[in-house]
Amino acid sequence: MFLSVFDLFKVGVGPSSSHTMGPMVAGARFLDALRQQPFRAHGLKASLHGSLAFTGKGHATDRATILGLAGFVPATMDADKAEAALAANRESCVLTPDGLGQLHFDPDADLRFDYDHALPGHANGMTLSATDAQGDVIFHQVYYSVGGGFVLTEDELARKGDEDRSDATPKVPYPFASAEEMLAMAEKSGKSIAQMKRANELVFRSDSEVRDGLQRIWQVMRDCMDRGLEASGTLPGGLNVRRRARAIHEKLMAERGMNLTAPHVINDWMSTYAMAVNEENAAGGQVVTAPTNGAAGTVPAVIRYWLDHVPGATERDLPDFLLTAAAVGGLIKHNASISGAECGCQAEVGSASAMAAAGLAAVLGGTPRQVENAAEIALEHHLGMTCDPVKGLVQVPCIERNGLGAIKAVSAASLALRGDGTHFVPLDAAIETMRQTGRDMSEKYKETSLGGLAVNVPNC
């Protein structure tokens, strides 16, 4: 499977790519499969397992599953229509997806949070079933939400090792499956990482489709950030977390141009940009996976820092930032994970920070080896980071964590550009270490809210 820049940067809705977007996508895919069956179904059932069960309420997994089974998909979901569909289902216990007629679905009886039986393929597992008039299951499918809005059936997951090869496919001119291969191809071709990634994209899309698609990604990112910088109030979910991005941004704007402003205040700008995005995500707004919803603020915060605070920055170079970041994100997804339920937050904010560091190093003139070094520094210093959201909400510590991920990304890029690209730990080694660390990490710290901050601070 070729991992496009548009696979890693997807327009969707909050608060979680794996727990909200993924189940919605799974529901829509199940409907497509059901439409191909020779029989007529009369009802639907859903069962959530593992992390989808333990933190599903906080991530709105139940709502997302129902919306998916009603025919909604994240990229085009209309919030008002979605709320109307949920209200209609609560009243009638019926869903009416296109082409399938009326299907019985009682959310209280037919949507089950199974805390006792994890599915074997991934921590984010769910089973969707169709029933006949007597309520017997006549068709079912197991889906795994593997992070970043990616969804695989159990058969697809079994083939994942052979098919999920980052850019490594014979169809593209630069088929790299590791950072080592990527650097070797860059050296041999004389091309940058962004140029190679663009050449690979052009096998599947026209130049205008790539250009316009990248512009839309940034536009959605920036619109999300701007909404977050304007909004105030309390985030939903019961923790009563106040939005802070607007107030901090107003103070920063008031201080701008003052001679006595401390140099470290630039960190507050980056944090505020990231927090604005993740506050919008926590409120269920439209975001771009980068590479996930929980880590959606880090990459756009670094882009905004670069465009608004670095002399000489121009949006003409924005495609190079996003293409380079996607190349690194694809390597991490292929060789480890971008799922907090699989490898902890090192796989989410850690991956996002590495992607942002690589993108920034590229647009600041870094060589491919300096870009790889920047990504490695950022990822290395997120190794071991747990995913322990309080009350299962993508709020504490997730919102602030994106800000710190952005700061680390800028520091990593700056350090890498001070050298010549030669360094001790290869990016491939950092990625493999992240995979091993995630494998060894206790399930308490992998998006189950059974350990860490989730059990050591008040949940209400």
Side-chain angles (χ1 to χ4, degrees), residues 284-345:
Q286 186 182 60
V287 297
V288 175
T289 61
T292 67
N293 282 31
T298 298
V299 168
V302 174
I303 295 175
R304 184 76 171 261
Y305 156 76
W306 165 61
L307 288 174
D308 289 7
H309 299 270
V310 176
T314 170
E315 284 200 17
R316 290 196 307 272
D317 295 331
L318 182 64
D320 287 348
F321 192 117
L322 292 172
L323 289 165
T324 305
V328 168
L331 293 176
I332 296 172
K333 184 181 185 303
H334 164 52
N335 292 299
S337 176
I338 58 171
S339 168
E342 190 171 23
C343 286
C345 199

Side-chain angles (χ1 to χ4, degrees), residues 213-265:
L214 293 174
Q215 183 57 45
R216 180 170 185 260
I217 286 171
W218 170 236
Q219 189 63 55
V220 175
M221 285 179 171
R222 186 147 195 163
D223 287 348
C224 175
M225 190 182 303
D226 287 343
R227 289 194 306 272
L229 292 173
E230 290 294 328
S232 58
T234 301
L235 294 171
L239 286 181
N240 297 316
V241 172
R242 291 184 299 108
R243 287 178 179 256
R244 291 183 291 156
R246 176 179 175 174
I248 297 173
H249 187 247
E250 288 175 348
K251 291 179 180 178
L252 289 170
M253 291 296 291
E255 296 170 4
R256 201 167 195 177
M258 294 177 61
N259 292 332
L260 298 180
T261 301
H264 66 254
V265 170

Side-chain angles (χ1 to χ4, degrees), residues 412-424:
S414 184
L415 283 173
L417 292 172
R418 294 291 182 182
D420 62 2
T422 304
H423 56 106
F424 190 79

Side-chain angles (χ1 to χ4, degrees), residues 360-445:
L360 181 61
V363 296
L364 292 180
T367 66
R369 292 194 176 276
Q370 288 173 317
V371 168
E372 182 262 359
N373 187 14
E376 183 278 323
I377 293 171
L379 184 61
E380 178 183 346
H381 297 291
H382 282 88
L383 291 176
M385 182 173 282
T386 61
C387 182
D388 50 356
V390 177
K391 203 178 178 181
L393 299 169
V394 193
Q395 297 180 19
V396 179
C398 321
I399 294 171
E400 284 182 353
R401 188 168 283 175
N402 274 259
L404 273 292
I407 292 168
K408 285 186 182 181
V410 173
S411 296
S414 184
L415 283 173
L417 292 172
R418 294 291 182 182
D420 62 2
T422 304
H423 56 106
F424 190 79
V425 179
L427 175 58
D428 288 330
I431 293 172
E432 173 59 17
T433 302
M434 190 253 274
R435 186 192 68 81
Q436 293 177 6
T437 304
R439 179 194 61 196
D440 296 339
M441 188 180 289
S442 168
E443 295 301 314
K444 293 191 301 182
Y445 304 116

Side-chain angles (χ1 to χ4, degrees), residues 341-352:
E342 190 171 23
C343 286
C345 199
Q346 59 176 352
E348 296 210 23
V349 172
S351 297

